[in-house]
Amino acid sequence: MIPTAHARFRSAATLAAGALLLAGCGSSVTAAPGPSGSAEPVAVENCGRQVVVDDAPTAAVGMHPAQTELLLRLGLADRLAGQAQATAQELPGDVAPLADDVPVIGEAMPPSREDLLAVEPDFVYSPTTYEFTAEQGFASIEQLEQAGAAVYVATGGCADRRMSGEVTDLFTDLENVGEIFGVQDEAADLVDVSQAELDEVAAAVADVDKLRVAQVYVEGSTLQAIGAGVEHDILRRAGADNVYGPDDPAFAEFFAATITPEALAAQEPEALVFSAYDEQHEAATREYLTTTFPDMPAVREDRLIAVSSADVFPGTLGNVSIVRDIAEQLYPDAF
């Protein structure tokens, strides 16, 4: 992804225990009461809030390329007023041209309060609540609502869901966003394709002898283990026997925990999955893991599997695609 991924990672850890993150997460879609004779507004339960839109948004902002991609794939290019963090991750080639005329705001970081409000959005779609941290200079959810924008956070990025998120939380988002924009058929098609891919992987790994797999994140000499949230579910669906899980005390309050090299070595994982934000970060992580753990089964068997940091963010199509990527590298004979 980008060099700011670690900043996001640290900030998320800092915010996790604070009141800055919104509590709760829901997924129901209902029709809110509307004036007699008018189209009924759509009300969606999201992160413990009710998101209400009176009409289909016409000035949406994707707060990360993954959310921008989803809006483009739903056929909403003409409804986009801005694309945020656009230099954090390239859009897939088949949809990138659709965003050529969409203003870029925020470059690699979430946009400042002023830059986001300047495009006058009426709908803001984000992967997590981090993008609305007022202390970072970003527009808060309350400020955006006061400016007339509805705010939707990926279900897996809600504070109360961050520890228990699943890949299929994306389907909740697609259904909700499809309802909000009136593109239910397009959303249903994306859900069907994604579910079919997950089903195909599940069938392929159903009878494999599961490998013990740890997911880690390395920045410099700091080693963190990932043990909960959508990241944990991604490994589970890829057929991994997760070394770390949400029942471990280390992950009681946050999906990641700093660990010592000795603690990881003692687990003797047979494969390591790690996220990287660019090629340099991937190379540095590989070097750290191979030099620090030369006798680890994962290193001896050359099972160091890199995934994009952007693909483990909640509510992205990458959550689905890397299930297959990881499974194919763990069990190549099953595909």
Side-chain angles (χ1 to χ4, degrees):
M1 190 193 162
I2 55 169
T4 54
H6 185 50
R8 172 195 292 274
F9 203 83
R10 289 181 298 169
S11 297
T14 302
L15 296 176
L20 294 173
L21 292 178
L22 297 171
C25 179
S27 60
S28 61
V29 179
T30 60
S36 178
S38 69
E40 290 185 333
V42 174
V44 174
E45 195 71 20
N46 177 243
C47 291
R49 306 160 37 248
Q50 193 175 59
V51 179
V52 180
V53 296
D54 294 328
D55 298 295
T58 59
V61 171
M63 289 293 280
H64 186 273
Q67 274 60 49
T68 300
E69 177 190 354
L70 286 174
L71 294 171
L72 293 172
R73 292 198 184 281
L74 290 173
L76 302 172
D78 61 342
R79 312 266 196 100
L80 285 172
Q83 51 177 322
Q85 301 188 77
T87 61
Q89 174 188 358
E90 291 185 0
L91 288 168
D94 62 327
V95 296
L98 300 175
D100 284 347
D101 296 328
V102 178
V104 173
I105 52 176
E107 296 185 353
M109 285 290 289
S112 69
R113 180 184 304 110
E114 295 75 16
D115 287 347
L116 179 54
L117 292 175
V119 301
E120 300 182 347
D122 59 7
F123 183 82
V124 180
Y125 182 16
S126 177
T128 69
T129 52
Y130 169 76
E131 283 80 3
F132 306 117
T133 310
E135 287 72 13
Q136 297 282 341
F138 311 148
S140 68
I141 290 176
E142 292 77 12
Q143 289 167 336
L144 286 164
E145 289 177 335
Q146 289 170 5
V151 177
Y152 187 91
V153 178
T155 297
C158 295
D160 279 6
R161 187 65 176 168
R162 192 62 185 94
M163 295 294 292
S164 58
E166 298 181 1
V167 172
T168 51
D169 287 342
L170 169 65
F171 301 165
T172 297
D173 299 330
L174 286 169
E175 291 165 1
N176 287 346
V177 174
E179 188 78 14
I180 287 169
F181 283 89
V183 289
Q184 294 93 328
D185 290 346
E186 290 83 350
D189 287 344
L190 275 179
V191 171
D192 289 345
V193 170
S194 298
Q195 184 63 66
E197 184 163 12
L198 293 176
D199 290 344
E200 186 176 336
V201 174
V205 302
D207 298 321
V208 299
D209 292 329
K210 292 185 176 181
L211 296 171
R212 281 176 49 78
V213 184
Q215 185 171 176
V216 297
Y217 182 83
V218 178
E219 187 72 28
S221 60
T222 300
L223 174 65
Q224 293 186 310
I226 315 298
V230 67
E231 295 88 344
H232 179 270
D233 190 52
I234 286 169
L235 291 193
R236 181 185 68 82
R237 291 176 183 274
D241 176 10
N242 280 304
V243 170
Y244 300 107
D247 293 334
D248 298 338
F251 308 103
E253 296 183 358
F254 195 58
F255 68 93
T258 299
I259 59 173
T260 65
E262 292 77 13
L264 179 61
Q267 295 291 339
E268 298 187 331
E270 297 169 284
L272 291 173
V273 172
F274 65 92
S275 60
Y277 48 73
D278 60 19
E279 292 181 357
Q280 291 74 26
H281 186 212
E282 177 182 343
T285 299
R286 286 188 185 278
E287 181 178 4
Y288 171 86
L289 294 174
T290 54
T291 58
T292 306
F293 306 106
D295 298 323
M296 181 180 289
V299 174
R300 292 202 311 265
E301 298 298 325
D302 193 26
R303 293 197 190 99
L304 303 181
I305 301 172
V307 297
S308 167
S309 295
D311 287 338
V312 295
F313 284 175
T316 71
L317 287 170
N319 292 172
V320 175
S321 62
I322 65 172
V323 169
R324 173 180 287 276
D325 291 344
I326 293 170
E328 288 180 343
Q329 294 186 68
L330 290 176
Y331 312 110
D333 293 339
F335 292 87

